[in-house]
Amino acid sequence: MNIKRPLPRLPREDISNPAIEDFVGLALIRMLHIVAPSFENPPPRLFPLAESLRWDFFTFGDWDEYGDVETEHGRLAYTLSTYPERGAPSASENTLQSLLSQASVLVEWPGVVPTLKMHAEAALEYVSDRQCNCTSGRGCTTKSDYLTVPVDYEAGESAPGISLLLWKRSLRDIAKQLAKGCSTGAVEFLQIHAYLKDPIYGLNRSLKMQHFFFTHLLNKFQTKISMDCLSLGDLERVAAQAVQESAYLTCPLLERTTLIHFQAHHQLPYADVPLDSLARAEFSVPSHVLEVAKEMLQAAAANDGQACPIVPILVTTRPSFSNNDGYLTPIIDGNHRAAASLLLRFLANEPSFTDFSIMSQNLLEYCHVHHLGRKWEIDLSDALNDLYNHSSCEFYQYFLANHQIVRKFAQVKYIPALVVQEEDFHTICKQRSVGKPKPVLLHPFHQTLFNDDELSFALPQKAGQTHGRPEAFRLLSLSPFGKPKWLRDQRERDF
């Protein structure tokens, strides 16, 4: 295939401790680029908005067929056309066909929302029940008890065409409104976009903050370029970009952002995320957890015990299945780094490496104190068991010999993470893609089901899903690193 790589960007200075207006300013640059492009210095893109699958890029054919696939206008059209499984449940087909027969989809949209919500709830119940049947009758005490092959709801054969037409019609409707100097259908437009990105949970999103940012971005855009000068096609592309940018701006994790790093074609917002808040869909490989933990100790030693720089993990936010008012913070990439961090923090608070039975009991108490769920408990227990296994004596001896460095992890609360949106990914389901002519994707709702600790679902280690990661990154440290002097002195007496 003839791959079209992103154009080179001029260097940008990183932004430390960014404010929300820094994010707004970067979003505005991308919107302005649509109607006044700068090919010498295109705007940076959030990950994975320049990538098609994992770290792969789009082809020249994709660009010819869908337009600029680094923008939401082209990317969403590509997703809806290429991956039928990401379409709406088949039960919604007649409702959507009826909506598309009306003169304005934005005007008629509120009337179909209750029906679409009902279909979404039924589809989610069907999937969760099917997956529960796969794990029924097994007590979840080991990783294998959790392993489940993801189940899809049925999407009709007409799903790609219906979804793509709904996207185009909603774009045309909002563009006509913008051309007249109003946006009375903005909320409906935002909801249609959320539904197309996530047909199960999209309609449950609170749009108050997104509506604010959508309007704010358009108002700022108009101070630079008059809407009167733009064609309907230009206004469609601007509106599409504004809805994507405004959705990202509502992510609650952005409040924790410590750095926006620019490298290659990427804009990489890093946040300090609480270790104890992380959800996980995949288990880790115990031996690899120990390898990563050793590398982290070596990194800390190289920094004189003052920091432990790591490649940031990737996280997103998803609605909780078991808590209607809560949200999860799933790990998208970096299970082993997160597990290694939690293991090292546990070992740092143990005065000595005593016998395995005592350490195992202490680990259970550690998981309870830090509100780590059952999946974390099993995962860390397996890593601890591997550490005490004769085949891992090299790691045991290394950790014991470097216990002064291990202790530096005792107070760690936060892990650096790149903040992304699951809805933007073409997440590959490895279990169901083997032997297929093209990868089978997971839905965004799968992240909710597989990351909720109240549900007994998990994906196999290294064989469940793949998102990819950006080719660029900035090493950042766990924090806070080191420990208070009183605790250090106490530990030294005990040890």
Side-chain angles (χ1 to χ4, degrees), residues 70-82:
E70 289 186 6
T71 67
E72 186 69 356
H73 185 274
R75 183 181 181 88
L76 186 51
Y78 169 88
T79 301
L80 298 175
S81 302
T82 308

Side-chain angles (χ1 to χ4, degrees), residues 147-452:
L147 298 185
T148 310
V149 177
V151 174
D152 281 344
Y153 57 75
E154 182 183 352
E157 293 183 3
S158 303
I162 292 174
S163 298
L164 186 60
L165 185 55
L166 179 58
W167 176 228
K168 290 180 176 180
R169 289 283 304 280
S170 64
L171 284 170
R172 182 49 54 108
D173 283 1
I174 196 67
K176 288 179 178 178
Q177 291 185 10
L178 293 175
K180 295 176 182 179
C182 69
S183 56
T184 54
V187 171
E188 290 75 19
F189 176 63
L190 299 182
Q191 197 168 39
I192 289 174
H193 176 262
Y195 177 72
L196 291 172
K197 300 274 278 196
D198 181 359
I200 300 302
Y201 279 102
L203 294 178
N204 294 326
R205 286 189 60 161
S206 173
L207 297 176
K208 183 177 180 181
M209 283 303 298
Q210 187 180 356
H211 185 221
F212 166 80
F213 282 119
F214 181 75
T215 305
H216 184 54
L217 285 168
L218 288 175
N219 288 339
K220 279 187 159 295
F221 180 87
Q222 290 182 82
T223 65
K224 304 290 184 180
I225 295 179
S226 172
M227 297 289 194
D228 297 336
C229 302
L230 303 178
S231 67
L232 283 179
D234 286 336
L235 290 172
E236 287 181 15
R237 289 186 284 275
V238 169
Q241 195 62 30
V243 70
Q244 192 279 327
E245 301 285 356
S246 60
Y248 185 80
L249 289 170
T250 62
C251 177
L253 296 179
L254 292 187
E255 297 176 3
R256 295 184 169 276
T257 307
T258 60
L259 180 75
I260 301 177
H261 177 53
F262 301 100
Q263 190 174 342
H265 59 279
H266 295 298
Q267 172 190 324
L268 304 173
Y270 294 125
D272 280 342
V273 178
L275 260 177
D276 297 346
S277 72
L278 296 174
R280 40 113 49 83
E282 272 183 85
F283 285 116
S284 58
V285 179
S287 59
H288 191 40
V289 172
L290 299 183
E291 290 170 4
V292 173
K294 182 179 178 180
E295 291 170 359
M296 291 168 68
L297 289 175
Q298 291 170 335
N303 284 272
D304 298 321
Q306 301 302 306
C308 179
I310 65 170
V311 176
I313 65 173
L314 273 66
V315 297
T316 188
T317 56
R318 289 295 303 162
S320 169
F321 180 85
S322 54
N323 180 0
N324 291 334
D325 297 323
Y327 70 86
L328 306 170
T329 307
I331 301 170
I332 295 301
D333 179 81
N335 273 310
H336 291 89
R337 278 162 280 165
S341 300
L342 287 167
L343 178 65
L344 286 170
R345 186 177 67 181
F346 164 70
L347 296 174
N349 285 285
E350 292 298 310
S352 62
F353 289 5
T354 184
D355 70 81
F356 177 68
S357 60
I358 295 176
M359 291 288 279
S360 295
Q361 189 59 42
N362 290 350
L363 179 61
L364 296 181
E365 179 64 21
Y366 168 81
C367 291
H368 175 73
V369 168
H370 290 279
H371 307 288
L372 300 174
R374 181 62 179 149
K375 284 194 283 189
W376 274 118
E377 186 180 296
I378 292 173
D379 205 55
L380 293 174
S381 294
D382 278 6
L384 184 68
N385 183 65
D386 212 54
L387 179 63
Y388 275 77
N389 192 295
H390 289 299
S391 63
S392 300
C393 61
E394 172 198 345
F395 292 109
Y396 182 89
Q397 293 300 329
Y398 184 86
F399 290 3
L400 192 62
N402 290 275
H403 204 257
Q404 294 295 333
I405 294 295
V406 173
R407 289 175 178 177
K408 300 290 185 179
F409 291 80
Q411 303 301 308
V412 167
K413 292 183 180 179
Y414 304 102
I415 188 168
L418 177 65
V419 179
V420 297
Q421 290 195 110
E422 173 64 25
E423 296 89 340
D424 291 332
F425 281 83
H426 300 140
T427 306
I428 298 174
C429 178
K430 289 185 176 181
Q431 292 157 290
R432 300 181 297 166
S433 295
V434 177
K436 300 291 177 64
K438 68 177 181 180
V440 176
L441 300 192
L442 291 174
H443 281 266
F445 80 81
H446 283 120
Q447 298 302 329
T448 292
L449 294 183
F450 279 85
N451 279 280
D452 197 312

Side-chain angles (χ1 to χ4, degrees), residues 22-226:
D22 292 311
F23 287 99
V24 169
L26 290 162
L28 183 61
I29 291 172
R30 286 186 283 272
M31 291 170 60
L32 292 169
H33 178 75
I34 290 170
V35 295
S38 171
F39 297 109
E40 295 78 19
N41 186 28
R45 298 292 177 186
L46 294 165
F47 184 75
L49 299 181
E51 286 77 14
S52 58
L53 286 167
R54 296 170 299 190
W55 41 80
D56 298 330
F57 301 113
F58 292 95
T59 66
F60 280 93
D62 296 330
W63 281 75
D64 290 341
E65 186 171 356
Y66 302 105
D68 188 344
V69 283
E70 289 186 6
T71 67
E72 186 69 356
H73 185 274
R75 183 181 181 88
L76 186 51
Y78 169 88
T79 301
L80 298 175
S81 302
T82 308
Y83 299 105
E85 60 267 37
R86 288 286 292 266
S90 58
S92 301
E93 191 168 303
N94 289 338
T95 302
L96 293 173
Q97 290 279 27
S98 177
L99 171 68
L100 291 169
S101 70
Q102 305 301 313
S104 170
V105 296
L106 295 188
V107 170
E108 303 299 332
W109 176 254
V112 304
V113 167
T115 302
L116 296 179
K117 279 188 173 182
M118 181 179 65
H119 294 157
E121 290 169 2
L124 184 62
E125 182 178 359
Y126 165 80
V127 169
S128 59
D129 286 349
R130 285 275 306 279
Q131 291 190 175
C132 281
N133 289 337
C134 295
T135 59
S136 62
R138 300 197 312 232
C140 292
T141 59
T142 67
K143 291 176 180 177
S144 60
D145 294 330
Y146 281 88
L147 298 185
T148 310
V149 177
V151 174
D152 281 344
Y153 57 75
E154 182 183 352
E157 293 183 3
S158 303
I162 292 174
S163 298
L164 186 60
L165 185 55
L166 179 58
W167 176 228
K168 290 180 176 180
R169 289 283 304 280
S170 64
L171 284 170
R172 182 49 54 108
D173 283 1
I174 196 67
K176 288 179 178 178
Q177 291 185 10
L178 293 175
K180 295 176 182 179
C182 69
S183 56
T184 54
V187 171
E188 290 75 19
F189 176 63
L190 299 182
Q191 197 168 39
I192 289 174
H193 176 262
Y195 177 72
L196 291 172
K197 300 274 278 196
D198 181 359
I200 300 302
Y201 279 102
L203 294 178
N204 294 326
R205 286 189 60 161
S206 173
L207 297 176
K208 183 177 180 181
M209 283 303 298
Q210 187 180 356
H211 185 221
F212 166 80
F213 282 119
F214 181 75
T215 305
H216 184 54
L217 285 168
L218 288 175
N219 288 339
K220 279 187 159 295
F221 180 87
Q222 290 182 82
T223 65
K224 304 290 184 180
I225 295 179
S226 172

